[in-house]
Amino acid sequence: MPLVRMFGPIALLLSLLFPFAVTAQSNAEGPAIAAGVETIPDEAIATRIEGIFDEIDGLETVSVSVRSGVVTLTGLVAENRLMTQAEKIAARVSGVVAVTNRLSEETSVGERLTPVYERLHDRTLQAVSYLPLIAVALIFWALVALFGAFLARRGWPFTRLAPNAFIADLLRQLVRIVFIVVGGVLALDVLGATALLGTLLGAAGIVGLAVGFAVRDTVENYIASILLSVRQPFRPQDYVKIETFEGFVISLTSRATILMDIDGNHNRIPNATVFKSAITNYTVNPQRRFTFEVGVGANSNLDRALAVGLDTVEAQPFVLEDPPADAWIDNLGNSNVVLVFVGWVDQRRTNLLKARSEAMRLVKRALEANGFSLPEPIYRLRFDSDIPSGVREALPAPEAPAPETTPPETSLAKDTAVDEEFQRRVARERDATGAGDLLDERAPTEFGGRQ
């Protein structure tokens, strides 16, 4: 106690005289004691980082040096990503204050190819190990696809659900595609790669959208062919008019409708145009009317002229009694009166153009035989009266018309039957279309059948 009492004033005097020494000592020891944190040696930090690098491919050769918590990385790496990876790993180690990255990328071809070869080798070994599982997935996919093909080959229920053979085939193809897709999904599930399905579907959607824009006209024609095969606005060998095209229907393909006109030429019309156009089908109703005009003199007895012409039309064997023939006055011309005569024929037995031709000839003959004139247009010419007499006498005299030597016309109608040879040609063209035709003669049509 006496010593404490003696040195206490001395310590107080020293603290007053040398305050900087006490402060320096407290600053040197105070933070470590106050924080209660143990300082990690630089050697331990370097050992820790090197141990981590030894476990990572490509970082085994990296040299690590630590001084006062500052890590310096030196050496060569094969790829740029390894430089960044090494820096991030070193920065996460406890006790590291800062990281100085002095790594360089390897430029030697052999060293650069070594990691690539190792990755390929590892992936090859992994693929070989997956071969049994891949074989099981492929077998499973094949079984599902074969089952879908078996169902698609069945006639029922496709023939019952579809209105025609083309739609039935389309449904069969749809069933095959559905089973193939389902089998692929199940195979990916076996491999544990169902996440790949979303990527594949997204890529397929983008590709499908691009292809759809590229082949828009083709897709439009294909969809129109489906609708036309369902609606059936015409049947094979029907005589139709589509826009400016007119002829017999040969076939309906997945892209176009083929017509053969009366000259034997083939007209190929895109199905999209056919679907959007006005279609005149002359074959749906076998009864068809022909019309022609005849001009008689303005002073003629028009009632009698109409009666003579109408009786002549009705008397022809190719003209139908029901609907009856008819006649009327259409127009008063400059030098004649225009009469209109109409008659009906059965297109299945009578050629319309031949029937109209014969009716015109026989009505003209009948009118002339009954004293009716068929005047031509009358023109009045004006000549100057001051022509010299010498010039007038020098003009050649008009020649007298030669007497007619042609035999008289027959009063009987000529052959107006349908051209069977042309019909056979149309049938041959129809038979040559093969399996690509989408028209079905047994399917119902828009018009509800034939009369």
Side-chain angles (χ1 to χ4, degrees):
M1 285 300 286
L3 293 174
V4 173
R5 292 176 181 177
M6 181 179 65
F7 285 105
I10 296 174
L12 179 60
L13 179 60
L14 292 174
S15 64
L16 293 174
L17 294 175
F18 305 100
F20 62 90
V22 179
T23 304
Q25 181 180 4
S26 63
N27 290 337
E29 300 178 357
I33 298 173
V37 179
E38 183 180 358
T39 303
I40 301 176
D42 293 341
E43 294 79 5
I45 296 175
T47 303
R48 174 65 175 164
I49 296 175
E50 289 176 351
I52 295 174
F53 285 173
D54 289 339
E55 300 298 326
I56 298 177
D57 293 337
L59 299 180
E60 303 92 343
T61 60
V62 175
S63 299
V64 181
S65 61
V66 183
R67 184 175 181 181
S68 300
V70 178
V71 179
T72 303
L73 304 177
T74 58
L76 297 175
V77 293
E79 298 176 352
N80 187 32
R81 64 176 182 85
L82 294 176
M83 299 169 58
T84 305
Q85 184 180 9
E87 183 176 351
K88 291 181 179 179
I89 292 174
R92 290 199 297 267
V93 174
S94 177
V96 175
V97 177
V99 178
T100 302
N101 192 347
R102 296 179 179 175
L103 295 174
S104 301
E105 189 173 356
E106 181 65 60
T107 58
S108 175
V109 177
E111 296 295 333
R112 291 294 299 269
L113 293 180
T114 298
V116 177
Y117 170 77
E118 292 177 353
R119 285 198 300 269
L120 291 177
H121 182 266
D122 295 339
R123 290 173 182 174
T124 302
L125 294 178
Q126 185 180 10
V128 171
S129 64
Y130 265 89
L131 286 179
L133 191 60
I134 293 174
V136 173
L138 290 177
I139 292 173
F140 198 72
W141 190 1
L143 290 176
V144 175
L146 290 175
F147 181 72
F150 170 76
L151 290 180
R153 285 196 299 268
R154 306 287 295 177
W156 190 89
F158 302 105
T159 54
R160 185 177 182 84
L161 296 175
N164 54 50
F166 176 64
I167 302 299
D169 292 338
L170 190 64
L171 292 177
R172 290 189 181 94
Q173 294 295 334
L174 182 62
V175 169
R176 289 192 184 95
I177 293 174
V178 168
F179 273 87
I180 290 174
V181 172
V182 171
V185 172
L186 295 178
L188 291 175
D189 185 61
V190 171
L191 294 174
T194 53
L196 182 62
L197 182 62
T199 303
L200 293 177
L201 292 178
I206 295 174
V207 172
L209 185 62
V211 172
F213 277 108
V215 294
R216 181 181 59 183
D217 294 338
T218 302
V219 174
E220 184 181 11
N221 289 326
Y222 187 78
I223 295 175
S225 67
I226 296 175
L227 298 176
L228 289 174
S229 65
V230 173
R231 296 177 57 184
Q232 296 271 351
F234 40 73
R235 283 183 174 174
Q237 303 183 33
D238 279 2
Y239 191 77
V240 299
K241 181 179 181 182
I242 303 173
E243 286 192 340
T244 59
F245 301 97
E246 189 172 336
F248 293 91
V249 177
I250 300 299
S251 64
L252 171 66
T253 67
S254 60
R255 294 192 60 186
T257 299
I258 311 300
L259 300 183
M260 188 174 75
D261 58 22
I262 58 176
D263 296 328
N265 301 316
H266 284 69
N267 297 315
R268 186 176 181 274
I269 312 172
N271 286 331
T273 302
V274 176
F275 185 77
K276 294 182 290 187
S277 300
I279 302 175
T280 303
N281 193 325
Y282 296 105
T283 311
V284 172
N285 183 9
Q287 298 174 347
R288 189 174 176 185
R289 191 181 75 169
F290 64 84
T291 305
F292 63 92
E293 299 177 352
V294 177
V296 297
N299 298 325
S300 302
N301 187 334
L302 299 181
D303 289 336
R304 187 166 176 271
L306 289 172
V308 169
L310 184 58
D311 291 341
T312 304
V313 172
E314 292 176 341
Q316 305 311 313
F318 53 81
V319 176
L320 299 177
E321 295 181 359
D322 186 20
D326 202 356
W328 60 83
I329 300 173
D330 181 69
N331 187 21
L332 297 176
N334 295 329
S335 57
N336 62 359
V337 178
V338 180
L339 308 181
V340 177
F341 298 93
V342 298
W344 293 80
V345 297
D346 188 345
Q347 296 184 96
R348 295 170 295 186
R349 297 188 298 269
T350 305
N351 185 296
L352 180 70
L353 297 179
K354 293 180 180 180
R356 182 173 179 270
S357 174
E358 282 300 294
M360 293 172 64
R361 183 182 69 84
L362 295 174
V363 168
K364 172 181 175 296
R365 184 179 183 280
L367 290 174
E368 290 177 340
N370 284 272
F372 292 95
S373 63
L374 306 180
E376 298 178 355
I378 299 175
Y379 300 95
R380 178 172 296 179
L381 303 179
R382 177 181 177 183
F383 296 94
D384 293 335
S385 58
D386 57 351
I387 299 178
S389 59
V391 176
R392 188 177 303 172
E393 294 174 356
L395 294 175
E399 298 181 358
E404 294 184 1
T405 59
T406 57
E409 293 184 2
T410 177
S411 60
L412 300 178
K414 297 180 180 179
D415 181 24
T416 59
V418 175
D419 189 351
E420 296 182 357
E421 178 59 31
F422 189 82
Q423 294 294 332
R424 284 192 293 268
R425 181 177 179 182
V426 173
R428 286 195 301 268
E429 293 287 341
R430 166 71 183 166
D431 296 337
T433 57
D437 187 21
L438 308 183
L439 295 176
D440 188 356
E441 297 182 359
R442 298 168 298 178
T445 64
E446 277 187 329
F447 304 100
R450 299 280 191 250
Q451 291 184 356

